[in-house]
Amino acid sequence: MTSRERILAAIEHRQPDQVPVDLGATPSSGISAIAYGNLKRHLGLTAGQTRVYDVVQQLAQPEDALLDRFHVDVVDIGRAFNTDAVAWRPVALSDGQPAQYPAWFNPERQPDGSFIARMKDGLDIAHMPAGGAFYDQTYFPYLDGYPPDFRGLPAEMGRILWAALVHSPWDHAGDPRFWDTLRAKALDLRRASDRALMIVLGCNLFEWGTFLRRMDNFLMDLVAEPRQVEALLDALMELHLAALEQTCRAVGDVADVIRFGDDLGATGGPLMSPGTYRRLFKPRHAILCDYVHKHTKMKTFLHSCGSIRALLPDLIEAGYDVINPVQTTCRGMEAEGLKADFGKYICFWGGGCDTKVVLPQGSPAQVKDHVKRRLEILMPGGGFVFNTVHNILPEVPPQNIVAMFEAIQEFNG
């Protein structure tokens, strides 16, 4: 199989010829820039650059040499943007190693070594502490309550770090003829590689509520202010559907998978009752999935952290083809049970290696054993794409990353 065929076979619950692999196709299936730089040094790779394409999470864009070495089967269309050297500027990461930031990203270093990211008007929107590895949101526009109407919603969304400091290709969304450029670059990428193509869109609903109101307030709003929540969700859906329509028109016949996001789980269970999910979010998630399936051949991918087992039947009914990151250390998220109960209905994109304990703290031999056991559980019958449980964090030893990918090759035989 080609890489594209392998990914699609897995999503369609057909047994692929070997384990399909992702590294860096989404901002929830990638690698920290620090870990990436350490990995390159460990492998003796001196060419190229460590480019931090997602500045909020400080994630590196994996280079072709690494994609080839680890037999990665899928890439993000965003990598076709910012390819010229002038699009980047040199920086030192928090551990001192050299890297590059997008030229537009210029956070202010503070006397204590921390960083502040501001809008052009000086608004403080995000902080990273000294020695940190990601930025925290500091501006919540609806912190003190909902506005009388949502005419100003697009402007306020643009002042939140996830939109203001967005990764490619969306850092170019304001460019003239952006949609034509997106299509042209996606077509070039498809012609140049047989890897599957991912377009990362977002269309978050619950999460945008937390970005606007802050997590504590929005969780209370779900119960205490359901009418306000629905009004906000309707305003968000209007914006999301407009973006989704444009995206489907531009690359719906080029991309293979479209990635949505909405973190719905905590460690011990969903962040809301299944009833609340069904009432407020499921109908809107279904609209998004239905639009994609009716207008394109793309598969629908939802990133949702945490313990979401109780919501999986509803997410499947809503129309999601893929779930990520499959956080197997959370309550009810054990790989065996998920595969047995839901493996015929949704593709698990993740869960291939625990990033909480095994990958950062285990020996290479323990990592290999762990990964092979996960593959034995999750691979049969398709419905699985290998990825770690969320991003590879800075402290992960490079030899463990190598051992993880070696385990996949040994499993393939």
Side-chain angles (χ1 to χ4, degrees), residues 142-155:
Y142 296 165
L143 184 62
D144 296 324
Y146 291 90
D149 61 61
F150 292 107
R151 285 177 290 185
L153 178 60

Side-chain angles (χ1 to χ4, degrees), residues 95-127:
D95 68 343
Q97 66 175 288
Q100 293 184 340
Y101 276 169
W104 52 260
F105 184 57
N106 290 283
E108 299 174 7
R109 184 180 178 89
Q110 304 302 300
D112 64 356
S114 66
F115 289 89
I116 296 177
R118 300 183 189 275
M119 298 294 290
K120 290 182 179 179
D121 63 3
L123 178 69
D124 176 341
I125 63 168
H127 288 184

